[in-house]
Amino acid sequence: MRVALLGSGRGSNAEAILRAKQNNQLGRADIVGIFCDNPHAPMIKLGPRFGVPAFYLDPGPFKTKFSPEQEHVWANTLLSHKVDLVVLAGFMRVIKAPLLDAFKNKIINIHPSLLPAFPGLDGIGQTWRAGVNEGGCTVHWVTADVDGGHHLGQTKVSRENSDTLETFMDKIHAAEHILLPKVIAELSVL
Ligand code: GRF
C-alpha cells in the first residue's frame, strides 16, 4: 500500500508513522512521499531524516482551502506517485472535490477529539474548555463533511484534576502517535 503523508506543520504524527515503518510496525504500508502546503513546515525535514521524498506544493492563495486549480495539481501529483492511501497528518486545509474524487474512500485524517464531539479547529482546546472529563483522538475517513466521515479508530484520554492544558495536550498527542500508525497498518493488510 503506497501511502502519502500530507501536513502543514510540526509533523509529529508523520514522524510516528515513519518510526513505525522503521520498526516494521506499519504492516504492508510504504511511505512514498511527504507533501506539505507550507514551505517552512518542520515536517518537510523528516524527508531527509527518514529517506523519504518530501515536497512543498503550492496550495494557492487561501488559508484553509486549496484554489481549485492547485487542488487539481495536488491530485495529479499524488496520482503520479501511484498513491493508494492519503494520510492527513496535521493538514490544515479542507479537502474538496478534485482530491476527494481522485482518491475516493482513500483519504484518512487524525483529529484530536472524540468525534463527533468537537470537530473543526483546536479540538483539544475545545475539549478542555468544555470541562469534560475525557478527550482523545479519532482517525476517520475524509468526506466532504469536515471531520464527519466514518471512524476507523478512537482512543480515549482521561482528564485528571492534576492536568493542565499542556499535560492534557501531551497525552492526546501521545495517543495520536500510537493510533494513526496502527490504523494505517490495519488498512494495509485488508
Ligand atoms: C494533531 O493534533 C492532529 O490531530 C491535528 O493536527 C495536529 C498535527 O500535529 N489534525 P503534528 O503536525 O502531527 O505534530
Side-chain angles (χ1 to χ4, degrees):
M1 186 176 71
R2 295 172 61 82
V3 177
L5 305 179
L6 274 56
S8 306
R10 192 165 63 138
S12 69
N13 280 286
E15 181 167 354
I17 294 163
L18 291 159
R19 279 194 192 289
K21 176 68 192 172
Q22 268 186 342
N23 297 334
N24 291 320
Q25 289 168 341
L26 211 57
R28 294 189 188 164
D30 278 322
I31 310 303
V32 299
I34 295 169
F35 300 86
C36 293
D37 61 354
N38 164 10
H40 309 295
M43 181 165 160
I44 294 186
K45 301 205 177 106
L46 294 172
R49 266 180 62 200
F50 286 89
V52 171
F55 310 89
Y56 160 69
L57 273 181
D58 183 3
F62 307 109
K63 251 189 156 168
T64 58
K65 63 177 185 179
F66 291 97
S67 66
E69 304 75 34
Q70 285 309 110
E71 194 156 1
H72 276 292
V73 170
W74 278 68
N76 290 335
T77 304
L78 295 172
L79 287 170
S80 75
H81 281 78
K82 300 195 180 348
V83 167
D84 300 308
L85 182 74
V86 176
V87 176
L88 307 184
F91 192 64
M92 304 307 286
R93 227 166 263 276
V94 175
I95 307 294
K96 294 194 182 170
L99 267 169
L100 286 176
D101 290 349
F103 292 92
K104 225 177 175 51
N105 302 323
K106 291 182 178 174
I107 308 179
I108 65 172
N109 179 46
I110 179 131
H111 182 78
S113 79
L114 295 176
L115 290 172
F118 312 119
L121 285 179
D122 192 18
I124 301 178
Q126 290 189 63
T127 306
W128 179 261
R129 287 189 294 275
V132 291
N133 60 11
E134 69 181 6
C137 53
T138 307
V139 177
H140 62 91
W141 289 111
V142 173
T143 64
D145 178 14
V146 175
D147 295 331
H150 177 76
H151 295 179
L152 289 155
Q154 194 163 62
T155 306
K156 291 180 178 169
V157 170
S158 65
R159 173 181 175 167
E160 309 296 339
N161 287 336
S162 55
D163 272 325
T164 61
L165 174 58
E166 284 66 37
T167 60
F168 187 55
M169 210 176 254
D170 288 347
K171 289 195 291 188
I172 292 176
H173 287 312
E176 290 187 317
H177 299 161
I178 295 169
L179 180 65
L180 186 52
K182 180 170 162 271
V183 169
I184 295 169
E186 284 167 3
L187 289 174
S188 78
V189 294
L190 285 184

